[in-house]
Amino acid sequence: YYSPRHRMSFFYWDGAKSLPTLVHELTHQFFEEWGGEESGFDSNRDPGFWAVEGVALYLESFSMNKIGGTAVIDIGGWDSLRLQAGRYRRLHDQYWIAWDEFSHFDGEAFRESKEIAAWYSQACGLAHRWLDGSEAEFAQFTEYLRAVYAGSGRDAARALIKDADALRSEYDRYLLTSWR
């Protein structure tokens, strides 16, 4: 758990299987403390919680392989385990929360949802879609994430997405074709 109030992460280490959780929580700490200024983001009340969790899920999706004496780390990508859950929920279950609603949820809404796993899957999938996209899409998402951490997530969501129906179509296309 990362505590913004204490500016500290807390872990219960259980060997290598704890590594994805470590990366996830340290991602929160990194973005919360990035730039040395106090974050304007209140995870309980500010919109954009999906992006904060989405980027942490993206970074925890790493895989590491050794080639000779070199460790090769891959982050994100088509075969990420977390993305598979998002892909299944969207393509098989046809699960989708409309952007205007989803982008405005705060942490309290996420934690109180009976569909929390599906919400996290959509957050993870959307983060993958932007971070694995073109340089322009990557820059768009990171600018949005910066605005969320500055406490301006509501306005930034409108700037990130102009056409919510197009987003759903682009997301579906990403989930179907990203392996190519």
Side-chain angles (χ1 to χ4, degrees):
Y1 167 73
Y2 170 68
S3 170
R5 186 168 60 97
H6 295 102
R7 296 176 61 103
M8 188 178 294
S9 292
F10 301 90
F11 301 99
Y12 296 96
W13 188 254
D14 192 15
K17 69 182 182 181
S18 298
L19 198 53
T21 303
L22 176 83
V23 170
H24 181 107
E25 296 307 325
L26 290 176
T27 299
H28 290 314
Q29 185 169 1
F30 172 79
F31 281 108
E32 187 76 31
E33 297 181 20
W34 185 23
E37 297 177 20
E38 191 169 322
S39 169
F41 179 68
D42 178 342
S43 67
N44 290 323
R45 293 181 177 76
D46 289 346
F49 185 82
W50 78 270
V52 169
E53 287 302 319
V55 74
L57 291 164
Y58 180 84
L59 286 169
E60 87 172 47
S61 73
F62 73 92
S63 63
M64 183 170 35
N65 297 299
K66 296 216 181 226
I67 300 175
T70 304
V72 177
I73 298 173
D74 185 34
I75 299 173
W78 172 81
D79 57 348
S80 157
L81 289 177
R82 289 285 194 169
L83 180 59
Q84 300 315 311
R87 181 175 279 123
Y88 185 84
R89 281 198 166 87
R90 176 67 192 124
L91 299 177
H92 179 270
D93 297 345
Q94 296 294 303
Y95 189 86
W96 178 255
I97 302 169
W99 175 253
D100 291 337
E101 185 179 359
F102 190 68
S103 65
H104 290 93
F105 289 142
D106 57 29
E108 285 182 357
F110 258 75
R111 287 185 288 278
E112 291 172 5
S113 172
K114 291 178 180 165
E115 306 225 1
I116 189 170
W119 289 21
Y120 267 78
S121 291
Q122 184 167 325
C124 179
L126 286 172
H128 270 74
R129 179 247 179 266
W130 268 292
L131 292 170
D132 286 344
S134 68
E135 285 182 41
E137 291 168 327
F138 181 91
Q140 254 185 323
F141 181 75
T142 55
E143 189 57 40
Y144 170 71
L145 192 60
R146 184 175 289 127
V148 167
Y149 273 102
S152 305
R154 189 173 312 278
D155 294 333
R158 286 190 281 276
L160 182 63
I161 297 299
K162 304 280 190 264
D163 182 347
D165 290 330
L167 170 64
R168 190 177 59 227
S169 296
E170 290 167 11
Y171 180 55
D172 288 352
R173 191 169 28 261
Y174 168 77
L175 293 173
L176 288 165
T177 62
S178 61
W179 64 274
R180 294 188 180 131

